[in-house]
C-alpha cells in the first residue's frame, strides 16, 4: 500500500471529537425548524388484537392539535418494504405481508402504531394521544418461533400458513450429511436459544420532516445509518413521490448497531404528513417506545450436530434453526438468518459436509432485523460452542481440536481463496496464527496449571475460546443479487479538488461513531500527500452526494474507502496530464509523490495545489482535457471480505451463588490492513462489550402475552463500566487481496467473537468442578448458572 | 411559573409549564442541545448537568425545581475556547465514538475528580456507574478520565 505521506497506520486523533466533547454535535432531535410541530404515536398495548374502532373525536379538539391520522388514512399507501428476498426450498418466494405505516385491521405486536397525532408542542401531542380511544378485541398470541410453526398456533398474518415466511436450506444435501454422520466416532449435539437482543443505541430514533411548497420538495432529517437507501425506499416504494423531490439527511447519529439501518414507518409517515400539515413535524422516540418499535436482533431456536472422527477431525455439520422474524419483515430481516448466517457455517474449519436448514417465522413480537454482526454472531456462537463442547466431551484440548480442523493459511494472491461448502469464497486467512497469538497472550500452559490449582482449592476457573470468521464488506452486487438483495451493494466516493487544492470528499457511507471523518481523511492525505487539515469528509446528505448504500456489515472502509481511492486515482491521472502540459513533458513521464507532480529523472515539478488551480483556471491547458478536478467513482467489490480472529475469555464462577466474574478478555483480530489502529481498537472494545453483554447480561424477555417484560434501561441489563475488565487486544494483519486498501472491516468483529468465548469459559469452569453442563441459556445470570450446577451430577 | 436560573454564567428568567423537565428547558428553551436524552428515566446519564456543582440527571428534575440554581452544561465546561482537561482526555484517549453519552459523562466526571482527584481504575469504573455507553466498552473512557486526572494534578502544582 502507498504510504506517501505516512498517514496510514497512525493513531491520528479524531477530527470529529471536538464538536462532540463541547456539546456541539448536531443530532436529529437537536434540530428545531421554524414553525416546528411534534408527532406522538398511539401504540398497541396488546401483542395481537383486532381493532374494532378508533375514536379520535375527543383528541382532535384538544389544545394545539393539528391533525390525527389512523390506519384508514394510509390504507392506500404501500407498507414499508423488505430489501431482501429469500425463497422456499421449492423455489416459491417468501411470504411478504404488508407492513402498513399505521395499522387499520389488527395489531400484531405490542407497540404496533395505530394512530399519529400532530400538535404544536410535544406535550400537546402526547396529551391528545392519550385521548384517542381504541377498542381492541384480543386474539391469541404466539411469541416463540418454534411454537409458531406448530399446527393450531395463532396466525399472525391470515395469508401466511403456519406463520412460515420461508423455509430455506444451504450446503450439501441432507442425505450427504446423514451419510457422513454415520461414519462419525463422536457426535456433539446441542439444542439452544440465541436470545433476542435489543440494540439500544443511546440516541433514540428521531425524525424531522418538512415540505417546501415553493420547490415541491420534501426534506427528512433522520437518525439513520443509510440516508440514500431511506430516500430510495421511501420515495419509490412507499410514498410514490419522485426521488429527486426528496432530500434525506442523516446528521450526527448517536449509535446505530444495525437497528438504524431499517427504513421505518415513522420516517415515511412524518414525510407524508408534513405536506398535509404544511409545517415541519418532529418525532423522537421515548425509550419505552424504542424498546417495542426499534428492530431487534438474533432470536434463534436451534438444534445443531457436529460429527467427528476419533482424532477430532470434523466430518459433518447439521443445523436446524427457527429464526424469529417478528411480526413483519424488516429491511434486511430475512437476509440475516439466511445469507448472513447459513453462509458462515464453514467457520474456520475444513468441515467437508454441511447442511443448514432455516425456517423464518412470524410471531407477535417486534420486528427482528440486523443487530451488530447480524447472522454471523449466531453462526459463530453455534460453531464455537459445538467445537469447545466436543473437546470437553472427547477429552481433547480445545486449542488442539481447532488446530486439527483449521483451513491452512492462504494469502489469496499466490494461493487461491478457500471455497466453502456454503457458497462463500474466503479471500485470505491465517487462522492458526490468531489462535497461536491468543494462546501466547493467555499463557495457556500456565493457565491450565492455575486451573488445576483452583480446582484443588475448590474454585471454578475456566477458559473459553472462540475462533471466528465473518463475511464483511457488503457486498459484490452480483453475488448479493443472486442471493436475493433487491439493491446493488457497491459504494460511491467523490473527490472534489477545490481550485486552491483543498479537498472535499463525499462518501455514500454514513458514520455514527466509527470515525470516518478521520480514517477517510487519513487515506486521502496519504495518497495525495496533503495535510489532513486540507481535507473534509462529507456524508449523510442525499442532495450532496451522488448516491450511497450507507454503513452496516463492516463495509465502510473496505467498500466506501475503496470508492474514494478509485476517485483519487482518477484525480492523479488527470493531474499528471495537466502537470505534463505545464512542464512541457509527456504525461507518461510524470510521477506523483508527496503532493508533487515531477518529470521522472528531473527536478522539474509542480505542486498538487498548482495543478488544482490550473484545472480551474485553464489558461495554459491541454486542448483535449476538460477543466475541473472532480471525480465520482462507484466501487463494486469482487468478493466479500473475511475478517477473522481469536477471542479468549477467562472466568471464575462462584460456587455458592453462580455469579460469573470475567477476569480476562483477550482479542486477537485480523481485520486486514489498518488505517487508524486507535479507531480499530475502539471498534473492537465496543463490539466485545456488546458480545459480553449477550453472554452475561442482556436479552429481551417476552411473556406469553407478548409483553416485553424488561422494556426499560432499568430492566434490560446492559454492561456498565464496572462489569467489564480491561480488554487485552492485538491484531494480526492478513491483507484483503481484492480491494485497493487491503482492508477487511472491524465494526462487528468484537460482537461476533466475544459471546461464545465467554459462555465456553463458564462451561469450562463448571466442567473443571465436575459439573458436566452442556448448555446454559444466555444471558448467564447467577441464577441460571447456579441452577445448572445444582441440576448437574457433581 | 416563573423561574430564574443562571446557566453557564448567564442569567435567565422564563415562564415555564410546571411539568417542563429541566432537560427540555435546557434543550428547547435555551437551545443548549449538548445535553442529551437517552432514556427519559434517569438511568442512562446522557442528560447529566451540574446543578449548584452537583452532577444531576436533568430528566429527573422539573425546570421549576431548578429555580434559583446555578447550572453548568457541557457547553459551559471549557473556558476561553480551551478544552477542559476531561474534554482533552476524551479526545486524546478515544473516549468517545458516537458522542451521544459523552456530555453527561463529562459532567459527572468533572464533579467526581473534584471529590476524588486520584482515582484508581476501579474507582473510575464505579464512578461511571450512572452512565451507559453503548459504543466504547468503557475502557477508553476510563483512560480518558485518568488522562484528565493526571493533567489536572500537573496544573495544580505551581512550576
Amino acid at each position: 500500500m502507498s504510504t506517501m505521506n505516512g498517514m496510514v497506520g497512525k493513531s491520528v486523533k479524531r477530527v470529529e471529537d471536538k464538536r462532540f466533547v463541547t456539546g456541539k454535535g448536531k443530532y436529529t432531535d437537536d434540530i428545531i425548524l421554524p414553525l416546528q410541530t411534534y408527532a406522538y404515536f398511539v401504540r398497541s398495548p396488546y401483542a395481537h388484537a383486532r381493532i374494532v374502532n378508533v375514536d379520535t373525536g375527543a383528541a382532535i379538539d384538544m389544545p394545539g392539535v393539528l391533525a390525527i391520522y389512523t390506519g384508514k388514512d394510509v390504507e392506500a399507501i404501500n407498507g414499508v418494504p423488505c430489501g431482501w428476498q429469500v425463497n422456499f426450498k421449492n423455489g416459491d418466494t417468501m411470504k411478504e405481508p404488508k407492513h402498513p405505516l399505521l395499522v387499520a385491521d389488527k395489531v400484531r405486536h405490542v407497540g404496533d402504531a395505530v394512530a399519529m397525532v400532530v400538535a404544536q408542542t410535544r406535550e400537546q401531542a402526547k396529551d391528545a394521544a392519550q385521548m384517542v380511544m381504541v377498542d381492541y378485541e384480543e386474539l391469541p398470541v404466539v411469541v416463540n418461533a418454534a411454537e409458531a410453526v406448530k399446527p393450531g398456533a395463532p396466525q399472525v398474518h391470515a395469508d401466511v400458513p403456519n406463520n412460515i415466511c420461508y423455509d430455506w436450506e444451504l450446503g450439501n444435501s441432507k442425505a450427504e450429511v446423514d451419510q457422513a454422520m454415520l461414519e462419525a466416532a463422536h457426535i456433539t449435539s446441542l439444542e439452544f436459544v440465541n436470545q433476542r437482543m435489543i440494540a439500544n443505541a443511546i440516541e433514540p430514533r428521531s425524525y424531522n420532516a418538512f415540505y417546501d411548497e415553493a420547490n415541491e420538495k420534501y426534506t427528512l432529517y433522520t437518525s439513520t445509518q443509510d440516508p440514500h437507501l431511506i430516500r430510495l425506499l421511501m420515495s419509490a416504494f412507499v410514498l410514490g413521490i419522485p426521488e429527486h423531490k426528496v432530500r434525506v439527511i442523516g446528521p450526527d447519529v448517536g449509535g446505530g448497531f444495525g437497528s438504524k439501518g431499517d427504513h421505518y414507518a415513522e420516517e415515511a409517515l412524518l414525510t407524508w404528513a408534513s405536506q398535509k400539515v404544511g409545517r415541519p413535524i418532529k418525532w423522537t422516540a421515548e425509550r419505552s417506545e424504542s424498546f417495542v418499535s426499534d428492530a431487534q436482533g438474533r432470536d434463534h431456536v436451534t438444534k445443531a450436530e457436529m460429527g467427528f472422527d476419533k482424532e477430532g477431525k470434523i466430518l459433518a455439520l447439521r443445523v436446524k434453526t427457527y429464526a424469529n422474524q417478528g411480526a413483519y419483515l424488516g429491511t434486511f430481516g430475512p437476509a440475516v438468518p439466511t445469507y448472513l448466517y447459513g453462509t458462515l457455517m464453514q467457520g474456520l474449519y475444513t468441515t467437508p459436509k454441511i447442511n443448514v436448514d432455516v425456517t423464518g417465522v412470524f410471531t407477535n413480537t417486534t420486528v427482528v432485523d440486523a443487530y451488530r454482526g447480524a447472522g454471523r454472531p449466531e453462526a459463530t456462537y453455534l460453531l464455537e460452542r459445538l467445537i469447545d463442547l466436543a473437546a470437553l466431551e472427547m477429552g481433547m484440548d480445545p486449542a488442539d481440536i481447532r488446530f486439527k480442523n483449521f483451513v491452512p493459511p492462504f494469502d489469496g494472491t499466490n494461493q487461491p481463496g478457500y471455497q466453502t461448502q456454503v457458497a462463500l469464497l474466503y479471500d485470505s486467512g491465517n487462522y492458526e496464527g490468531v489462535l497461536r497469538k491468543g494462546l501466547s497472550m493467555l499463557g495457556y500452559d500456565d493457565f491450565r496449571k492455575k486451573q488445576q490449582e483452583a480446582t484443588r482449592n475448590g474454585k471454578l476457573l475456566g477458559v473459553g475460546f472462540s475462533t471466528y470468521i465473518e463475511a464483511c464488506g457488503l457486498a459484490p452486487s452480483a453475488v448479493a443479487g443472486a442471493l436475493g438483495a433487491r439493491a446493488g451493494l457497491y459504494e460511491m466516493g467523490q473527490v472534489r479538488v477545490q481550485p486552491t487544492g483543498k479537498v472535499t470528499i463525499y462518501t455514500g457511507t454514513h458514520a455514527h461513531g466509527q470515525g470516518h471523518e478521520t480514517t477517510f481523511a487519513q487515506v486521502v492525505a496519504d495518497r495525495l500527500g496533503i495535510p489532513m487539515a486540507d481535507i473534509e469528509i462529507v456524508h449523510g446528505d442525499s442532495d450532496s452526494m451522488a448516491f450511497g448504500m450507507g454503513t452496516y456489515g463492516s463495509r465502510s472502509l473496505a467498500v466506501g474507502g475503496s470508492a474514494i481511492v478509485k476517485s483519487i486515482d482518477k484525480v492523479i491521472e488527470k493531474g499528471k496530464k495537466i502537470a505534463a502540459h505545464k512542464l512541457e513533458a509527456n504525461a507518461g513521464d510524470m510521477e506523483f509523490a508527496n503532493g508533487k507532480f515531477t518529470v521522472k529523472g528531473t527536478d522539474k515539478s509542480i505542486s498538487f495545489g498548482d495543478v488544482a488551480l490550473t484545472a480551474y483556471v485553464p489558461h495554459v491547458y491541454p486542448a483535449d482535457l476538460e477543466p475541473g478536478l472532480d471525480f465520482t467513482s462507484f466501487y463494486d467489490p469482487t468478493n466479500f471480505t473475511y475478517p477473522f480472529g481469536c477471542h479468549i475469555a477467562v472466568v471464575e464462577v462462584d460456587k455458592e451463588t453462580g455469579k460469573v466474574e470475567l477476569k480476562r478478555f483477550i482479542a486477537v483480530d485480523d481485520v486486514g490492513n489498518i488505517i487508524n489502529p486507535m479507531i480499530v481498537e475502539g471498534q473492537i472494545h465496543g463490539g466485545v462489550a456488546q458480545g459480553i453483554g449477550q453472554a452475561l447480561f442482556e436479552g429481551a424477555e417476552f411473556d406469553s402475552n407478548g409483553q416485553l417484560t424488561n422494556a426499560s434501561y432499568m430492566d434490560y441489563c446492559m454492561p456498565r463500566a464496572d462489569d467489564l475488565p480491561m480488554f487485552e487486544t492485538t491484531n494480526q494483519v492478513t491483507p484483503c487481496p481484492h480491494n485497493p486498501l487491503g482492508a477487511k472491516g472491524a465494526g462487528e468483529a468484537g460482537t461476533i467473537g466475544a459471546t461464545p468465548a465467554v459462555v465456553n469459559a463458564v462451561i469450562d469452569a463448571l466442567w473443571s468442578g465436575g459439573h458436566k453442563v452442556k448448555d446454559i441459556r444466555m444471558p448467564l445470570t447467577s441464577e441460571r448458572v447456579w441452577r445448572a450446577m445444582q441440576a448437574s451430577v457433581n | 411559573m416563573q423561574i430564574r436560573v443562571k446557566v453557564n454564567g448567564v442569567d435567565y428568567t422564563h415562564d415555564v409549564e410546571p411539568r417542563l423537565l429541566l432537560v427540555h428547558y435546557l434543550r428547547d428553551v435555551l437551545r443548549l442541545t449538548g445535553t442529551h436524552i437517552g432514556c427519559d428515566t434517569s438511568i442512562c446519564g446522557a442528560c447529566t448537568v451540574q446543578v449548584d456543582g452537583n452532577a444531576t440527571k436533568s430528566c429527573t428534575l422539573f425546570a421549576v425545581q431548578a429555580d434559583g440554581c446555578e447550572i453548568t452544561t457541557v457547553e459551559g465546561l471549557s473556558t476561553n475556547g480551551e478544552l477542559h482537561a476531561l474534554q482533552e482526555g476524551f479526545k486524546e484517549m478515544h473516549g468517545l465514538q458516537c458522542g451521544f453519552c459523552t456530555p453527561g459523562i463529562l459532567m459527572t466526571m468533572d464533579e467526581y475528580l473534584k471529590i476524588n482527584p486520584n482515582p484508581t481504575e476501579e474507582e473510575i469504573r464505579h464512578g461511571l456507574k450512572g452512565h451507559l455507553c453503548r459504543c466504547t466498552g468503557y475502557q477508553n473512557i476510563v483512560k480518558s478520565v485518568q488522562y484528565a486526572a493526571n493533567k489536572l494534578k500537573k496544573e495544580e502544582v505551581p512550576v
Side-chain angles (χ1 to χ4, degrees):
Chain A
M1 190 197 308
S2 147
T3 52
M4 281 183 286
N5 202 27
M7 292 308 291
V8 158
K10 269 192 185 169
S11 288
V12 176
K13 309 301 175 201
R14 299 204 321 170
V15 298
E16 44 275 86
D17 283 355
K18 193 175 175 194
R19 73 173 185 273
F20 292 126
V21 297
T22 53
K24 300 284 193 303
K26 197 55 94 187
Y27 303 89
T28 301
D29 191 61
D30 299 341
I31 296 161
I32 301 176
L33 297 168
L35 297 175
Q36 185 72 62
T37 72
Y38 296 83
Y40 198 87
F41 287 89
V42 178
R43 295 185 186 275
S44 170
Y46 300 110
H48 199 191
R50 198 164 305 287
I51 297 172
V52 179
N53 185 42
V54 183
D55 181 1
T56 59
I60 196 78
D61 292 332
M62 296 280 286
V65 173
L66 299 167
I68 300 176
Y69 302 101
T70 67
K72 290 214 171 3
D73 298 311
V74 295
E75 259 177 334
I77 301 175
N78 290 332
V80 282
C82 176
W84 289 74
Q85 181 181 312
V86 174
N87 290 341
F88 280 82
K89 287 172 195 156
N90 68 8
D92 286 357
T93 308
M94 68 183 184
K95 302 288 182 187
E96 204 172 350
K98 184 178 177 181
H99 184 179
L101 302 188
L102 291 167
V103 181
D105 55 350
K106 70 167 185 172
V107 292
R108 294 178 176 84
H109 68 90
V110 171
D112 222 354
V114 174
M116 177 173 82
V117 178
V118 182
Q120 312 243 20
T121 70
R122 186 192 305 110
E123 289 75 18
Q124 286 170 338
K126 193 170 177 176
D127 286 346
Q130 280 163 10
M131 297 302 287
V132 173
M133 299 300 159
V134 187
D135 288 337
Y136 295 100
E137 184 186 298
E138 283 186 74
L139 296 167
V141 170
V142 64
V143 298
N144 178 294
E147 297 297 321
V149 298
K150 289 182 180 164
Q155 294 295 287
V156 180
H157 297 276
D159 49 355
V160 182
N162 300 316
N163 298 311
I164 295 174
C165 175
Y166 55 83
D167 171 13
W168 175 90
E169 78 176 323
L170 184 68
N172 307 102
S173 73
K174 284 200 168 73
E176 281 177 277
V177 169
D178 290 349
Q179 186 58 42
M181 285 289 186
L182 288 178
E183 288 155 30
H186 177 83
I187 296 175
T188 290
S189 105
L190 202 54
E191 288 182 53
F192 63 97
V193 170
N194 198 302
Q195 84 272 33
R196 185 179 292 224
M197 298 290 290
I198 300 179
N200 275 317
I202 309 294
E203 181 209 20
R205 285 194 292 128
S206 180
Y207 310 125
N208 197 348
F210 73 94
Y211 179 70
D212 170 12
E213 207 178 339
N215 295 303
E216 297 176 336
K217 185 157 181 172
Y218 297 83
T219 298
L220 171 70
Y221 290 91
T222 164
S223 51
T224 189
Q225 299 174 208
D226 39 27
H228 285 85
L229 210 58
I230 301 306
R231 183 183 64 159
L232 176 63
L233 293 173
M234 183 171 78
S235 64
F237 292 90
V238 183
L239 298 178
I241 47 182
E243 196 177 356
H244 65 294
K245 290 294 187 186
V246 180
R247 179 181 185 187
V248 175
I249 301 170
D252 286 331
V253 172
F257 315 115
S259 71
K260 287 177 183 163
D262 281 59
H263 173 37
Y264 283 94
E266 293 92 343
E267 292 175 306
L269 264 173
L270 258 69
T271 304
W272 172 79
S274 70
Q275 187 265 339
K276 305 211 168 302
V277 173
R279 288 171 61 175
I281 307 175
K282 179 154 89 174
W283 169 76
T284 300
E286 295 181 350
R287 185 53 60 183
S288 51
E289 277 185 291
S290 307
F291 267 102
V292 294
S293 68
D294 288 8
Q296 303 176 349
R298 319 274 194 263
D299 204 346
H300 288 190
V301 179
T302 295
K303 180 176 185 194
E305 292 147 292
M306 199 178 254
F308 296 84
D309 72 12
K310 61 181 191 314
E311 309 296 326
K313 191 105 175 134
I314 306 170
L315 299 177
L317 173 69
R318 183 159 49 204
V319 177
K320 172 66 203 177
T321 291
Y322 292 94
N324 199 332
Q325 297 284 350
Y328 308 99
L329 289 179
T331 310
F332 298 80
V336 176
T338 52
Y339 310 132
L340 294 174
Y341 171 71
T343 53
L344 270 300
M345 287 301 168
Q346 189 83 49
L348 299 178
Y349 313 117
T350 54
T351 312
K353 300 290 175 198
I354 299 169
N355 179 274
V356 49
D357 181 313
V358 181
T359 305
V361 184
F362 291 112
T363 61
N364 293 118
T365 59
T366 302
V367 169
V368 178
D369 205 310
Y371 167 58
R372 199 171 192 170
R376 292 149 291 172
E378 296 92 311
T380 302
Y381 185 77
L382 181 152
L383 293 170
E384 296 307 298
R385 285 296 326 282
L386 279 174
I387 198 159
D388 244 48
L389 187 59
L392 286 169
E393 288 178 347
M394 297 171 75
M396 294 182 67
D397 182 276
D400 286 346
I401 197 171
R402 285 179 169 85
F403 282 125
K404 266 186 193 155
N405 284 287
F406 279 145
V407 172
F410 61 106
D411 64 14
T413 310
N414 300 311
Q415 303 107 322
Y418 182 80
Q419 179 63 54
T420 73
Q421 300 299 313
V422 276
L424 298 179
L425 181 72
Y426 291 170
D427 56 353
S428 60
N430 175 5
Y431 309 137
E432 307 163 359
V434 287
L435 180 54
R436 281 219 177 84
K437 216 163 176 172
L439 291 173
S440 130
M441 284 169 80
L442 170 67
Y444 190 38
D445 295 341
D446 194 40
F447 172 82
R448 287 297 183 197
K449 281 178 206 141
K450 275 188 200 154
Q451 187 180 33
Q452 285 161 7
E453 198 182 308
T455 309
R456 282 195 297 275
N457 295 330
K459 288 187 172 172
L460 300 174
L461 192 64
V463 64
F465 297 92
S466 161
T467 46
Y468 71 89
I469 189 163
E470 45 175 336
C472 294
L474 271 52
S477 294
V479 178
L483 285 174
R486 290 163 170 170
L489 283 167
Y490 49 81
E491 195 46 84
M492 187 283 310
Q494 181 183 1
V495 177
R496 174 173 295 169
V497 183
Q498 311 286 357
T500 53
K502 311 291 183 196
V503 174
T504 310
I505 304 291
Y506 299 91
T507 171
T509 64
H510 185 280
H512 27 279
Q514 297 89 339
H516 295 170
E517 291 168 43
T518 307
T519 302
F520 288 179
Q522 283 178 255
V523 169
V524 178
D526 182 69
R527 301 224 165 203
L528 289 181
I530 60 174
M532 275 183 69
D534 288 358
I535 302 158
E536 185 179 32
I537 307 294
V538 183
H539 61 88
D541 182 350
S542 69
D543 266 13
S544 294
M545 51 223 54
F547 200 65
M549 295 307 297
T551 286
Y552 41 80
S554 306
R555 69 190 300 275
S556 298
L557 183 63
V559 190
S562 296
I564 294 170
V565 168
K566 268 182 88 171
S567 287
I568 292 172
D569 290 346
K570 292 176 189 172
V571 163
I572 293 171
E573 195 190 324
K574 185 171 178 180
K576 281 181 180 171
K577 289 180 188 162
I578 298 168
H581 189 83
K582 288 274 276 195
L583 298 172
E584 298 178 336
N586 288 322
D589 293 335
M590 301 303 299
E591 54 190 22
F592 179 72
N594 300 314
K596 269 197 310 201
F597 294 91
T598 307
V599 183
K600 269 181 217 163
T602 75
D603 58 358
K604 281 167 66 178
S605 72
I606 176 170
S607 74
F608 179 72
D610 283 342
V611 165
L613 189 64
T614 307
Y616 287 93
V617 187
H619 295 164
V620 181
Y621 206 69
D624 57 347
L625 211 57
E626 290 176 20
L629 201 51
D630 187 338
F631 286 99
T632 299
S633 303
F634 288 79
Y635 176 76
D636 201 349
T638 54
N639 192 357
F640 294 89
T641 61
Y642 298 92
F644 57 93
C646 167
H647 287 195
I648 303 174
V650 176
V651 303
E652 189 174 332
V653 177
D654 187 302
K655 265 192 163 169
E656 306 302 323
T657 64
K659 186 171 164 48
V660 176
E661 188 195 347
L662 183 59
K663 298 185 84 74
R664 286 180 76 185
F665 195 93
I666 295 161
V668 184
D669 297 285
D670 191 327
V671 298
N673 286 337
I674 292 173
I675 308 296
N676 186 319
M678 176 191 81
I679 288 178
V680 166
E681 190 190 15
Q683 289 294 308
I684 299 295
H685 286 174
V688 165
Q690 285 180 339
I692 293 169
Q694 175 164 20
L696 295 181
F697 306 109
E698 302 181 39
E701 298 287 345
F702 286 91
D703 70 12
S704 58
N705 294 317
Q707 297 291 337
L708 182 60
T709 58
N710 55 347
S712 85
Y713 273 8
M714 185 69 96
D715 303 295
Y716 184 95
C717 181
M718 285 177 279
R720 289 183 184 263
D722 59 352
D723 292 320
L724 301 172
M726 283 291 183
F727 309 132
E728 303 160 57
T729 60
T730 192
N731 297 105
Q732 174 185 278
V733 176
T734 307
C736 170
H738 62 79
N739 70 47
L741 291 166
K744 291 191 169 187
E748 296 162 297
T751 318
I752 292 166
T755 310
V758 175
V759 175
N760 284 340
V762 174
I763 300 290
D764 184 57
L766 297 191
W767 280 59
S768 79
H771 300 281
K772 297 197 171 180
V773 173
K774 283 180 77 169
D775 186 45
I776 304 173
R777 189 169 166 171
M778 295 189 290
L780 270 55
T781 59
S782 306
E783 182 190 340
R784 285 179 181 169
V785 174
W786 185 85
R787 283 187 190 282
M789 281 195 282
Q790 303 312 307
S792 75
V793 182
N794 195 338
Chain B
M1 289 175 74
Q2 197 182 65
I3 59 165
R4 296 161 72 92
V5 290
K6 185 180 262 193
V7 181
N8 301 332
V10 181
D11 289 308
Y12 296 95
T13 305
H14 279 108
D15 269 317
V16 298
E17 262 198 88
R19 65 172 164 172
L20 185 72
L21 295 171
L22 177 60
V23 68
H24 285 141
Y25 174 73
L26 295 169
R27 288 178 53 79
D28 297 351
V29 180
L30 302 187
R31 301 281 175 108
L32 293 168
T33 54
T35 302
H36 300 141
I37 304 169
C39 70
D40 313 276
T41 48
S42 308
I43 295 164
C44 78
C47 66
T48 306
V49 300
Q50 289 176 8
V51 178
D52 291 336
N54 301 315
T56 304
K57 291 177 176 175
S58 64
C59 78
T60 213
L61 214 63
F62 293 114
V64 293
Q65 290 174 285
D67 184 29
C69 292
E70 203 165 312
I71 293 162
T72 310
T73 70
V74 68
E75 288 93 342
L77 198 55
S78 56
T79 41
N80 305 322
E82 256 193 47
L83 293 183
H84 183 278
L86 274 163
Q87 292 171 315
E88 186 184 308
F90 273 67
K91 187 169 160 52
E92 288 297 313
M93 304 311 290
H94 191 26
L96 67 146
Q97 291 181 25
C98 81
F100 197 79
C101 70
T102 315
I105 293 177
L106 292 172
M107 300 318 289
T108 295
M109 285 295 119
D110 178 51
E111 186 203 9
Y112 185 77
L113 288 181
K114 285 172 188 155
I115 300 165
N116 183 4
N118 293 302
T120 63
E121 181 206 327
E122 201 183 340
E123 286 170 338
I124 294 171
R125 287 185 183 272
H126 189 74
L128 289 166
K129 228 177 155 36
H131 292 271
L132 281 170
C133 169
R134 200 57 163 159
C135 291
T136 65
Y138 304 101
Q139 184 152 330
N140 287 344
I141 294 181
V142 172
K143 289 185 177 169
S144 303
V145 176
Q146 286 169 333
Y147 177 101
N150 289 333
K151 183 165 192 225
L152 289 168
K153 267 184 278 177
K154 277 181 203 147
E155 281 171 3
E156 267 174 22
V157 181
V159 181

